[in-house]
Amino acid sequence: MKTIELANHKGTLAYDEVGSGLPIVLLHGFPFDHTMWSPQLEAIAAAGFRVLAPDFPRFGQSPAFGEPFTIDGAGHLIADWLSALSIERAVIAGLSMGGYVAMAFARQHRQRLAGLILADTKSAPDDAAGREGRDKAIAKVQVDGPAAFSESMVGKLISPKANQGVFDLAKSIMLRQNAEAITTALMALRDRPDATPGLAAITVPTLVIVGEEDAVTPPAAAKALSANIATSELVRIADAGHLSNIEQPEEFNRAVIAFLKKMQ
Ligand code: MLT
């Protein structure tokens, strides 16, 4: 694990890095950290790429930053982190919340985007019921604690067909996240902007991936996302829910590496 101070953002970002070549950034979902990419890091690096995976502020090994956590703010944070590493252009990949941040980066820093991978995510913001659900979740974390929240959430993320190992891996990462990480991210998710209007401006190669049994950001949302990005292709992963990269890592990696190879 490496760390780097980002004075503009009043914090020190922790990240993992492996391999060399075209930089690929993997942005984690909620409420996880960069270790959710453990089935991808070495595999993508072995295919000839430099793979970088940060922990968002308060998640994993990144501490709290002296600024509020927002999806748009995270887009700028990733850009400044890449600048600090002297990386001008990168492929940005994100799953779910990571995808929201990847779309923010695409809006904000278009010239720095070499390609985009949007996994199990969507462009639409929360509707009124969704925002109410976030507020109830924040209350649950505050009253019952982060572990109870994560226990109640994990079953919704994964296909019922998944084996116990997948379930245990997801749960163990979720249980490591603290109450402040979870509540500040829930606010950021609740208040995130509509990414749909920005999609037409994306002109780089884009891969949209979705687990066929994703109940959180379902295949219909991925289809709409792909339909709005002229340069995109859509890959559906069978027997996977919302955590397609953990549930079917071989299929996921095959799709990602085939996509990246076209850019080398
Ligand atoms: C995630 O996996 O990052 C979250 O499910 C995203 C969300 O709740 O909108």
Side-chain angles (χ1 to χ4, degrees), residues 68-85:
F69 181 70
T70 65
I71 298 300
D72 273 353
H76 290 303
L77 176 70
I78 295 305
D80 288 341
W81 165 60
L82 291 176
S83 298
L85 297 176

Side-chain angles (χ1 to χ4, degrees), residues 201-217:
I202 297 172
T203 54
V204 293
T206 299
L207 175 64
V208 178
I209 303 181
V210 67
E212 280 184 349
E213 295 170 29
D214 185 341
V216 180
T217 49

Side-chain angles (χ1 to χ4, degrees), residues 29-30 95-97 100 134 153 157 189 192 216 242:
F30 166 85
L95 185 137
S96 201
M97 179 176 78
Y100 306 154
R134 303 289 189 194
M153 189 177 173
L157 301 180
L189 292 167
R192 75 184 188 279
V216 180
H242 189 55

Side-chain angles (χ1 to χ4, degrees), residues 15 22 26 38 69 75 132 139 163 183 187 194 196 214 218 254:
Y15 64 99
L22 177 67
L26 302 177
S38 54
F69 181 70
E132 199 182 318
N163 65 37
T183 52
M187 290 177 213
D194 185 357
T196 313
D214 185 341
R254 202 180 352 257

